[in-house]
Amino acid sequence: MEEQILKVLEQAGQLISLFAVAVIVFGFVLASVRYGIGFRKLKSEKNFTQFKVDLGKTLMLGLEILVLSDVIETITIAPTYKSLAGLAFLVIVRTFVSWTLGLDVEGRWPWQAEKEETNV
């Protein structure tokens, strides 16, 4: 019974990994289409910034899902230092992408205070 549960969880981890890749690919295609549509309508700088933000959000979502699948695989398969290192690497990459995306979107690092708007 325990072996069956572990096998199901292992397959679930693999399906979630495939789903994460699909999310990243779909997000890239969607961001590219939006970039192409906005090519004529928006200023090139604003369009490119929006493209970067869209790609960053897609990558963050995909990495979050990959972390989930890696947690499942790390727990179900015999935990090794290699699998733990892979999981740690994904978490570090996701954190870095999150911080840089926050910098692009909000114009500040996560640890900096929010800028106050001044009405003149």
Side-chain angles (χ1 to χ4, degrees):
M1 177 73 171
E2 185 178 318
E3 290 178 17
Q4 291 173 337
I5 292 172
L6 289 176
K7 186 166 178 92
V8 167
L9 287 174
E10 184 178 337
Q11 290 174 342
Q14 291 172 349
L15 284 173
I16 293 170
S17 292
L18 288 173
F19 178 68
V21 171
V23 165
I24 292 170
V25 170
F26 179 75
F28 170 74
V29 170
L30 187 63
S32 297
V33 168
R34 287 184 66 184
Y35 179 75
I37 291 171
F39 197 73
R40 293 184 182 167
K41 296 179 182 178
L42 301 173
K43 292 182 180 178
S44 62
E45 183 178 314
K46 184 175 182 179
N47 193 27
F48 181 71
T49 301
Q50 185 61 46
F51 180 65
K52 282 189 341 183
V53 169
D54 289 346
L55 284 179
K57 287 179 181 180
T58 296
L59 188 56
M60 272 183 52
L61 179 60
L63 287 174
E64 287 287 341
I65 298 169
L66 279 174
V67 167
L68 172 68
S69 72
D70 277 355
V71 167
I72 291 171
E73 290 174 4
T74 301
I75 291 171
T76 58
I77 302 172
T80 63
Y81 286 116
K82 185 178 179 179
S83 64
L84 187 59
L87 180 61
F89 178 73
L90 267 178
V91 169
I92 290 169
V93 168
R94 191 210 62 74
T95 301
F96 178 75
V97 168
S98 171
W99 282 358
T100 55
L101 180 63
L103 180 63
D104 271 348
V105 172
E106 298 175 10
R108 65 179 178 87
W109 290 106
W111 55 83
Q112 291 177 323
E114 289 188 35
K115 296 178 183 177
E116 293 183 22
E117 293 184 27
T118 56
N119 293 331
V120 178

